[in-house]
Amino acid sequence: MRMRSSLPLILVSTLAAGLGACAGPRAPLTATPNGYTVAIDDDVDELAKATEKAQIHCAQYSRAARLDTIGEIDGKRIASFSCTSN
């Protein structure tokens, strides 16, 4: 009986974790050894998060991320980074 009463709690915890993942960072639009491009909200924190992700991405190729442009495509704000040699 005790196991049945904990089942709903486990289910709710699992669903909450899954929904939390939806609110996480956005997937990049492009991610290559030469660059990283991602859609961001018009927010300083979003740009900081995108910059951190770009740095992590470029570091796997022993390169540094450099912000090239922030623009708009189809109503979405886009941050584009180059992966440059250190």
Side-chain angles (χ1 to χ4, degrees), residues 32-60:
T32 69
N34 296 320
Y36 185 88
T37 304
V38 66
I40 60 171
D41 291 330
D42 193 15
D43 183 283
V44 174
D45 289 338
E46 282 282 317
L47 180 57
K49 290 175 191 175
T51 301
E52 182 179 347
K53 290 283 190 180
Q55 289 170 345
I56 292 168
H57 170 76
C58 293
Q60 66 185 336

Side-chain angles (χ1 to χ4, degrees), residues 31-36 57-58 61 63-64 66 68 80-84:
T32 69
N34 296 320
Y36 185 88
H57 170 76
C58 293
Y61 302 104
R63 296 179 177 188
R66 183 189 72 216
D68 288 330
S80 180
F81 299 85
S82 289
C83 295
T84 61

Side-chain angles (χ1 to χ4, degrees), residues 7-21:
L7 185 60
L9 180 59
I10 293 169
L11 183 59
V12 168
S13 297
T14 303
L15 289 174
L19 291 174

